């Protein structure tokens, strides 16, 4: 768009009409600067907000930003969510987003409002999240501001995300159909010319003009996705790969038209149309692969669609939308119903968790344990106490993490991107040098000299190099998700593939994480009740075991947790023997001490079984060439027993959070690349310091937030598969890069020397991109097996 706002839209190359100064739609002769009053008002609003730079950076589909004539009838105030801190929040679905400039405009416009605390737009999900200080009525004005800018808005919901059609995808499909139809017809005519050596001049001229009749409309219409992208790049003062494609296609077409006019021996309409058809096929294939990977987000959020049975105070139930349910509400979950929200059951339940963890068999979950949305009730009906609203729940968090991992840029992605950007100017220089060399150096006519130059321009386009790594990354992330592994970091696959040493926590990682209190006939029940009351505020497995052992104990206020040591409530201490100041007490790491002033210390002993698959997983990790190490805060006896049972090499007991972090740092200083696997708060520092980290599904929120991978299934069985997938992904990425470079090393000299026609160059270059994508698809296919 024109950087000088307020001036009429300039005429665009290849168009006969000026464009609207706001939405870029074509203007009728004499229409002025804007296509409608809405665009004029939106343009004035953008100027008034001081955001005129938007027009210099915008890349939008023509007409996409035209404001609606009829205002939305939705009452957005009723959709605002009241926060505990007195703020309001609102999530909107925004249509008309086409690039980062649109995101920038919306965020900057809302940032000028003094009461808006946060405004963020997710381009992939088309989701706008606003948080402001004030009353809910303000939602109407904020939504109207976005609509006045030319974006169409609606209440955000998973159904909207799933139903939203990808306009760019539809355009590619249409363009591919036109290119395929046109290229096939051009090829039928061109083949007769290529093989008809004895063809008369008049017959050849007829064939040339028939090829032009099919080829010119095909090139002009089917090539629009490339021309539009190239034009935006030129206006932004940069070059991209589509610029090289556009120049090659248009130069080939112009050269062919010139040959048709002078009735030369050959035209290359077939090369131009075949290039478009093959490149569009590659792009459609690439988008389909990415959409399949991103579909995981839509499928997750779709698990929360529908209504739920809200249990009322009088015991009756009422069907209500999921979005209206808040934390603390009670829901009735009937047999066969899906859990739409996270919560806690008041009784033991049997759930099918395959949708979220990939486990094939139903799981029995004890009363009071956390239940994740997306599971299906396979047992009798039960009451669920909701712990988080839909937008704050585990499924929404998983969706955000998946989007983050897919949109992130790893080291190989960045290298490929930089190489592609650096390569584009070289392409043009090589093509220009080829043309001048044949024309001036070899004395050929300019029409003949243009043939190898165009072939060089086409054959050197680095499309395959640009998609070599992202295609592999997207395919692998999606496949791992279906295997029960959530990749939460853009560079996790690269780092996981290079890991050479595994450091494992014990409690909750190697073990079930549900220790049980060992019965003791001499135990003081009052001491147990006090300890359980203190333990209510901790996520430590032993503390939770105390709560389960005495469920009627009330929660105490003011309990302070010292990570890795214990709990303090005034002068009462609950934790390790050292923390409680108890000497000569048995402390194997599966024991808690309760120290109260004036009372004898009370000991609580626990037992925790190893996960059934632990020994097998450790053996698989070692078979993959990784050394293993056990690092636990438990006592020496329990840690040694676990190490022997699982076959883990070195082990360390009574490791504090600082000890674990120091050990990880020491390993890195020695040149190792440690993979840390832990589940607790006391593992968070080590997880953050490790070369790469993973947390089981039972891990604490802090551990999962710090980890690069979250194993959503029960146990660690998916970890070896994730390592194999990461190594395979890196191998395929390197293959793609090597293939792209080798292809250019061979193809470029052949084109420059005149051995490659534009048609052959088009077929070879586009085929290389498709080969790269098909090779990337192997990553997803093999990982899913």
């Amino acid at each position: 768009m024109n950087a000088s706002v307020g001036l009429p839209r300039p005429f665009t190359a290849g168009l006969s009409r000026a464009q609207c100064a706001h939405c870029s739609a074509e203007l009728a002769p004499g229409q002025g600067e804007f296509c409608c009053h809405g665009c004029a008002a939106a343009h004035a609003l953008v100027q008034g907000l001081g955001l005129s730079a938007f027009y210099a950076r915008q890349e939008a589909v023509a007409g996409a930003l035209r404001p609606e004539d009829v205002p939305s009838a939705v009452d957005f105030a009723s959709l605002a969510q009241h926060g505990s801190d007195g703020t309001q929040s609102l999530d909107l679905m925004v249509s008309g987003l086409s690039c980062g400039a649109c995101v920038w405009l919306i965020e900057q416009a809302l940032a000028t409002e003094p009461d808006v605390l946060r405004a963020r737009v997710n381009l992939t999900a088309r989701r706008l999240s606003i948080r402001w200080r004030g009353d809910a009525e303000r939602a109407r004005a904020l939504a109207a501001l976005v609509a006045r800018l030319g974006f169409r808005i609606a209440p955000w919901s998973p159904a909207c995300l799933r139903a939203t059609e990808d306009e760019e995808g539809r355009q590619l499909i249409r363009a591919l159909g036109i290119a395929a139809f046109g290229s096939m017809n051009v090829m039928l005519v061109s083949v007769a010319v290529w093989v008809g050596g004895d063809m008369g001049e008049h017959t050849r001229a007829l064939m040339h003009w028939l090829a032009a009749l099919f080829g010119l409309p095909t090139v002009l219409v089917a090539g629009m996705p490339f021309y539009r992208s190239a034009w935006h790049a030129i206006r932004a003062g940069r070059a991209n790969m589509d610029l090289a494609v556009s120049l090659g296609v248009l130069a080939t077409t112009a050269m062919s038209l010139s040959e048709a006019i002078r009735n030369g021996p050959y035209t290359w309409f077939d090369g131009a149309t075949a290039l478009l058809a093959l490149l569009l096929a590659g792009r459609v294939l690439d988008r389909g692969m990415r959409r399949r990977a991103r579909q995981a987000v839509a499928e997750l959020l779709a698990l929360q669609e529908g209504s739920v049975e809200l249990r009322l105070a009088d015991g009756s139930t009422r069907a209500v939308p999921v979005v209206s349910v808040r934390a603390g509400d009670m829901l009735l979950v009937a047999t066969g119903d899906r859990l739409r929200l996270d919560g806690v059951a008041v009784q033991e339940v049997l759930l099918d968790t395959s949708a979220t963890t990939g486990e094939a068999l139903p799981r029995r979950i004890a009363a009071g344990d956390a239940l994740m949305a997306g599971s299906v009730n396979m047992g009798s009906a039960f009451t669920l106490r909701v712990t988080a609203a839909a937008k704050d729940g585990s499924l929404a968090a998983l969706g955000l993490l998946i989007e983050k991992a897919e949109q992130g840029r790893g080291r190989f992605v960045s290298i490929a991107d930089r190489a592609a950007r650096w390569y584009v100017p070289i392409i043009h220089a090589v093509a220009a040098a080829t043309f001048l060399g044949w024309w001036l150096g070899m004395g050929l006519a300019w029409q003949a000299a243009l043939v190898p130059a165009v072939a060089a321009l086409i054959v050197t386009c680095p499309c395959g190099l640009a998609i070599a790594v992202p295609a592999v990354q997207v395919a692998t992330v999606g496949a791992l998700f279906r295997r029960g592994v959530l990749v939460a970091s853009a560079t996790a696959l690269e780092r996981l593939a290079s890991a050479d040493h595994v450091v494992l926590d014990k409690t909750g990682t190697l073990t079930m994480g549900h220790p049980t209190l060992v019965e003791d006939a001499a135990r003081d029940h009052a001491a147990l009740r006090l300890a359980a009351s203190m333990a209510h505020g901790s996520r430590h497995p032993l503390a939770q075991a105390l709560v389960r052992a005495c469920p009627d104990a009330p929660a105490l206020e003011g309990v302070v947790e010292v990570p890795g040591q214990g709990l303090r409530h005034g002068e009462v201490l609950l934790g390790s023997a050292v923390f409680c100041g108890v000497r000569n007490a048995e402390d194997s790491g599966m024991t808690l001490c309760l120290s109260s002033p004036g009372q004898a210390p009370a000991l609580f002993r626990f037992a925790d079984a190893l996960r059934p698959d632990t020994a097998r997983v450790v053996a698989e990790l070692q078979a993959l060439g990784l050394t293993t190490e056990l690092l636990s805060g438990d006592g020496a006896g329990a840690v040694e027993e676990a190490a022997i049972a699982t076959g883990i090499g070195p082990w360390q007991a009574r490791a504090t959070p600082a000890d674990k972090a120091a050990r990880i740092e020491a390993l890195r200083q020695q040149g190792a690349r440690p993979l840390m696997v832990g589940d607790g708060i006391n593992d968070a520092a080590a997880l953050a310091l490790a070369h790469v980290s993973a947390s089981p599904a039972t891990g604490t929120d802090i551990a999962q937030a710090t980890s690069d991978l979250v194993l959503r299934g029960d146990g660690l069985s998916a970890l070896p598969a994730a390592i194999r997938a990461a190594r395979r992904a890196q191998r395929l990425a390197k293959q793609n890069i090597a293939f792209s470079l080798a292809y250019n090393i061979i193809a470029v000299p052949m084109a420059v020397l005149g051995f490659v026609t534009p048609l052959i160059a088009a077929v070879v270059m586009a085929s290389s991109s498709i080969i790269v994508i098909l090779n990337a698809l192997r990553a997803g296919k093999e990982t899913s097996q």
Side-chain angles (χ1 to χ4, degrees):
M1 288 190 179
N2 190 5
S4 302
V5 296
L7 297 177
R9 177 72 53 196
F11 282 85
T12 304
L15 299 177
S16 59
R17 295 179 179 176
Q19 296 176 332
C20 174
H22 178 70
C23 74
S24 296
E26 289 187 1
L27 298 175
Q31 192 172 358
E33 299 180 34
F34 306 102
C35 63
C36 62
H37 294 295
C39 282
H43 187 276
L45 174 62
V46 173
Q47 282 188 307
L49 293 172
L51 301 177
S52 301
F54 165 70
Y55 295 110
R57 60 193 296 175
Q58 180 195 2
E59 299 178 9
V61 179
L65 295 181
R66 183 179 302 156
E68 293 179 336
D69 296 331
V70 180
S72 174
V74 178
D75 181 12
F76 292 103
S78 63
L79 301 174
Q81 306 293 326
H82 182 72
S84 57
D85 56 355
T87 61
Q88 305 286 339
S89 61
L90 178 66
D91 288 340
L92 300 173
M93 175 70 74
V94 183
S95 176
L97 294 174
S98 59
C99 67
C102 298
V103 173
W104 175 85
L105 177 63
I106 294 176
E107 293 182 349
Q108 293 298 316
L110 291 171
T112 61
E113 300 294 317
D115 55 345
V116 173
L117 303 175
R118 181 179 182 274
R120 291 291 182 269
V121 179
N122 186 306
L123 184 59
T124 300
R126 305 294 193 265
R127 183 175 185 171
L128 166 62
S129 299
I130 314 172
R131 186 163 62 91
W132 69 92
R133 188 183 296 106
D135 55 25
E137 300 300 319
R138 186 79 169 102
R140 297 191 183 97
L142 296 176
L145 173 61
V146 179
R148 285 166 56 202
L149 293 172
F151 299 95
R152 286 154 295 283
I153 56 175
W156 192 91
S157 71
C160 287
L161 176 61
R162 188 173 58 179
T164 299
E165 290 290 336
D166 188 343
E167 178 61 27
E168 183 182 350
R170 292 200 300 268
Q171 290 177 356
L172 284 176
I173 292 292
R174 287 195 297 266
L176 174 59
I178 294 171
F181 174 80
S183 64
M184 286 188 293
N185 284 278
V186 171
M187 194 66 68
L188 288 175
V189 177
S190 300
V191 166
V193 176
W194 287 98
V195 300
D198 56 348
M199 181 180 294
E201 290 188 5
H202 296 293
T203 304
R204 185 178 63 196
L206 176 62
M207 292 297 179
H208 285 342
W209 285 110
L210 284 175
L213 179 64
F214 289 110
L216 288 175
T218 301
V219 168
L220 293 176
V221 177
M224 286 306 297
F226 302 101
Y227 309 150
R228 189 180 297 115
S229 173
W231 176 242
H232 291 325
I234 293 173
R235 282 171 41 195
R238 57 183 173 84
N240 64 2
M241 292 178 299
D242 289 339
L243 177 59
V245 171
S246 301
L247 288 176
V249 170
L250 294 176
T252 303
T253 305
M255 177 177 61
S256 301
L257 185 59
S258 171
E259 290 297 291
I261 293 173
R262 73 184 190 95
N263 197 15
Y266 302 110
T267 61
W268 290 273
F269 291 111
D270 49 356
T273 54
L275 173 62
L276 287 175
L278 290 170
L279 280 180
L280 287 167
R283 292 206 174 183
V284 169
L285 183 61
D286 180 55
R287 289 186 64 83
M289 179 185 64
R290 293 176 183 274
R291 184 169 57 251
R292 181 182 176 188
R294 286 197 303 267
Q295 189 178 1
V297 180
E299 291 174 351
L300 272 179
L301 298 177
L303 297 178
Q304 293 186 312
E305 292 180 16
S307 61
V308 292
E309 293 293 323
L310 178 66
R311 187 178 288 279
L312 305 177
D314 59 1
S316 61
T317 60
R318 175 166 55 91
V320 297
V322 171
V323 293
S324 66
V325 179
R326 302 289 176 265
D329 289 347
M330 306 297 288
L331 305 179
L332 176 64
V333 183
T335 302
D337 281 358
R338 187 178 296 278
L339 276 66
R340 308 292 180 183
L341 298 158
D342 297 335
V344 175
V346 298
Q347 65 190 64
E348 184 182 73
V349 297
L350 179 66
L351 297 181
D352 176 7
T353 62
S354 58
T356 55
T357 65
E359 297 178 28
L361 299 177
R363 294 177 55 194
R364 288 200 173 274
I365 302 178
D369 285 356
L371 305 181
M372 183 177 178
S375 305
V376 176
N377 180 20
M378 303 295 290
S380 58
F382 66 91
T383 300
L384 177 77
R385 178 171 59 82
V386 177
T387 55
K391 66 183 182 65
D392 302 319
S394 57
L395 295 186
L398 285 175
L400 291 175
L401 286 174
I402 294 172
E403 290 176 1
K404 176 183 175 182
E406 291 173 356
Q407 294 173 358
R409 313 180 79 77
R411 176 171 59 93
F412 284 121
V413 178
S414 299
I415 291 174
D417 284 349
R418 287 196 299 269
R421 288 195 298 268
W422 169 77
Y423 203 61
V424 170
I426 295 182
I427 292 174
H428 301 153
V430 169
T434 302
F435 172 72
L436 294 175
W438 283 101
W439 180 36
L440 300 179
M442 303 299 295
L444 291 182
W446 70 268
Q447 294 94 340
L450 199 58
V451 174
V454 170
L457 184 65
I458 293 174
V459 83
T460 54
C461 179
C463 295
L465 179 62
I467 63 176
V469 183
V472 174
Q473 179 170 316
V474 170
T476 305
V477 168
L480 281 177
F481 177 80
R482 290 185 287 274
R483 286 289 298 268
V485 180
L486 174 62
V487 181
S489 169
T491 60
L493 292 179
E494 297 173 12
R495 290 181 281 119
L496 182 63
S498 62
D500 55 14
H501 184 77
V502 185
V503 179
L504 296 132
D505 175 50
K506 185 180 81 69
T507 304
T509 303
L510 296 183
T511 65
M512 298 296 292
H514 294 286
T516 56
L517 182 65
V518 177
E519 294 294 332
D520 187 351
R523 178 177 296 122
D524 182 357
H525 184 72
L528 173 61
R529 185 177 178 84
L530 174 59
S533 296
M534 293 181 63
H536 266 287
S538 174
R539 291 287 302 274
H540 192 279
L542 298 186
Q544 293 297 302
L546 275 177
V547 175
R548 290 193 297 270
C550 190
D552 59 339
L556 279 179
E557 298 292 336
V559 177
V560 178
E561 181 167 5
V562 181
Q565 299 186 50
L567 303 170
R568 177 185 290 110
H569 183 259
E571 297 183 14
V572 181
L573 303 177
L574 176 65
S576 65
V578 175
F579 177 68
C580 295
V582 179
R583 299 182 179 180
N584 302 322
E586 177 189 350
D587 190 357
S588 63
M590 295 295 288
T591 302
L592 289 180
C593 293
L594 177 67
S595 174
S596 304
Q599 301 289 330
L603 297 180
F604 304 97
R605 297 179 179 86
F606 303 85
D608 189 11
L610 289 170
R611 296 182 186 272
D613 62 347
T614 299
R616 177 180 57 81
V617 169
V618 171
E620 287 188 42
L621 293 173
Q622 293 171 345
L624 289 171
L626 288 87
T627 54
T628 55
E629 178 179 347
L630 182 57
L631 201 58
S632 175
D634 293 345
V639 176
E640 182 179 17
E641 181 180 347
I644 294 174
T646 57
I648 298 177
W651 55 268
Q652 180 180 345
R654 304 192 187 284
T656 65
D659 293 335
K660 294 185 178 183
R663 176 57 181 161
I664 294 295
E665 184 62 31
L667 287 169
R668 300 195 65 168
Q669 292 294 330
Q670 296 168 11
R673 295 182 292 273
L675 161 61
M676 176 68 193
V677 186
D679 73 315
I681 296 175
N682 58 338
D683 300 316
L687 290 168
L689 283 172
H691 179 68
V692 63
S693 54
S695 176
T698 54
T700 62
D701 294 341
I702 294 178
Q704 293 189 10
T706 311
S707 299
D708 298 301
L709 300 98
V710 178
L711 311 176
R712 297 182 299 123
D714 188 18
L716 306 177
S717 58
L719 185 58
I723 295 174
R724 286 192 291 267
R727 292 179 177 178
R728 185 184 306 113
Q730 297 308 102
R731 184 170 63 252
L732 291 176
K734 292 176 181 178
Q735 288 176 3
N736 281 351
I737 293 176
F739 172 78
S740 299
L741 294 176
Y743 148 79
N744 281 285
I745 291 175
I746 297 173
V748 173
M750 298 289 289
V752 171
L753 294 175
F755 295 110
V756 177
T757 66
L759 173 61
I760 297 175
V763 173
V764 172
M765 189 276 289
S767 300
S768 70
S769 298
I770 295 178
I771 290 172
V772 165
I773 295 172
L774 293 175
N775 194 39
L777 287 173
R778 291 174 50 205
K781 182 178 179 181
E782 295 175 9
T783 301
S784 300
Q785 292 176 349

